[in-house]
Amino acid sequence: MDSQLYQAGVMAVRKVLAVALMLLASAPAVAQKGNALRDSLKAAMQDLAFHPDSVDLLLKKAAWNVELGEWSYAKDTYDKVLALSPKNVAGLYYRAYVNEKMSRYSFARLDYENLLTIIPGNFEAQLGLALLNQKDNRYTQALDQINRLISQYPDSAIAYAARGGMEKERKMYELAAYDYSEAIRRDDGNMDYRLNRIELYILLRRFKSAREELDLLVRRGVPRSSLSDLYQRIK
């Protein structure tokens, strides 16, 4: 793989990560734009009818499937991409994501591992693999992987937040609060990190810290009404 293709692959994987992290949060917007997405999918399929072996068109078509939550159609399309281009990094990453959505964890793991043979040490693939292992109840393996990722990328807010989420899921609340604090140090404006830390403060009964954080969000322009449930829990 030449350097230009390598860099293009890295950028594609980073774009996919952003999509993967935001899909749930953006679900209402996707629902509102459903007709437009389906129109785009239809156009991509029409183009494919004339160029069935176009990897670019296949990726475009599969991306619309992903946006619409059509996991089986997306997987079939990524299968075609990888049959035509076995080392296509976007295809591998997206298929891993889709396989995970379909609870095909062993297949998702294989795609992440194959991607890491193509781009050793890639942040997004390592993160995806760690989160997959957490979901698949391979807790020790997942924690080892996220610890290694943080040691490789100590300035990454995402890595700290991911470890915090793993620890929170396992009720390791003190450790999770620490990691979300580290994530906030690196990305002070991230609302999700702050809301997760507030939730952890409440679970730890550190109500004063939770209130201070809530008041900070209000001062930054977050409507108090949107935080009312959290305020209620610290009374």
Side-chain angles (χ1 to χ4, degrees), residues 138-153:
R138 299 188 177 197
Y139 299 122
T140 300
Q141 191 173 357
L143 194 57
D144 287 345
Q145 288 167 337
I146 200 67
N147 286 339
R148 183 162 60 250
L149 190 65
I150 288 174
S151 70
Q152 293 172 356
Y153 299 91

Side-chain angles (χ1 to χ4, degrees), residues 7-177:
Q7 290 300 324
V10 172
M11 293 304 295
V13 170
R14 288 177 179 171
K15 183 177 180 181
V16 173
L17 177 66
V19 171
L21 292 175
M22 294 303 294
L23 270 176
L24 289 179
S26 64
V30 169
Q32 293 173 3
K33 298 177 181 178
N35 290 335
L37 288 171
R38 292 192 181 281
D39 287 344
S40 297
L41 174 59
K42 183 178 178 181
M45 292 177 69
Q46 289 173 342
D47 290 340
L48 270 172
F50 294 100
H51 307 282
D53 292 334
S54 169
V55 169
D56 287 343
L57 288 176
L58 286 166
L59 287 171
K60 184 182 295 185
K61 183 263 184 187
W64 298 127
N65 291 137
V66 169
E67 289 278 1
L68 289 163
E70 298 175 348
W71 310 123
S72 182
Y73 289 125
K75 188 199 81 67
D76 289 346
T77 306
Y78 290 126
D79 287 346
K80 292 178 183 177
V81 168
L82 292 164
L84 292 165
S85 178
K87 293 186 177 182
N88 186 285
V89 295
L92 282 168
Y93 192 98
Y94 266 116
R95 192 173 69 176
Y97 174 71
V98 169
N99 275 324
E100 186 174 338
K101 283 292 186 180
M102 297 174 70
S103 299
R104 292 161 47 92
Y105 295 151
S106 60
F107 292 99
R109 185 175 295 105
L110 182 61
D111 281 338
Y112 282 129
E113 290 171 349
N114 286 337
L115 179 54
L116 285 167
T117 65
I118 299 169
I119 313 177
N122 176 258
F123 176 89
E124 289 80 6
Q126 288 188 79
L127 177 60
L129 187 57
L131 293 174
L132 170 65
N133 283 325
Q134 172 78 3
K135 185 179 290 187
D136 199 23
N137 301 321
R138 299 188 177 197
Y139 299 122
T140 300
Q141 191 173 357
L143 194 57
D144 287 345
Q145 288 167 337
I146 200 67
N147 286 339
R148 183 162 60 250
L149 190 65
I150 288 174
S151 70
Q152 293 172 356
Y153 299 91
D155 295 327
S156 171
I158 293 174
Y160 276 100
R163 188 169 70 179
M166 290 179 180
E167 292 159 343
K168 181 180 178 184
E169 184 178 325
R170 297 178 64 183
K171 303 186 187 307
M172 303 161 66
Y173 297 141
E174 286 285 359
L175 291 174

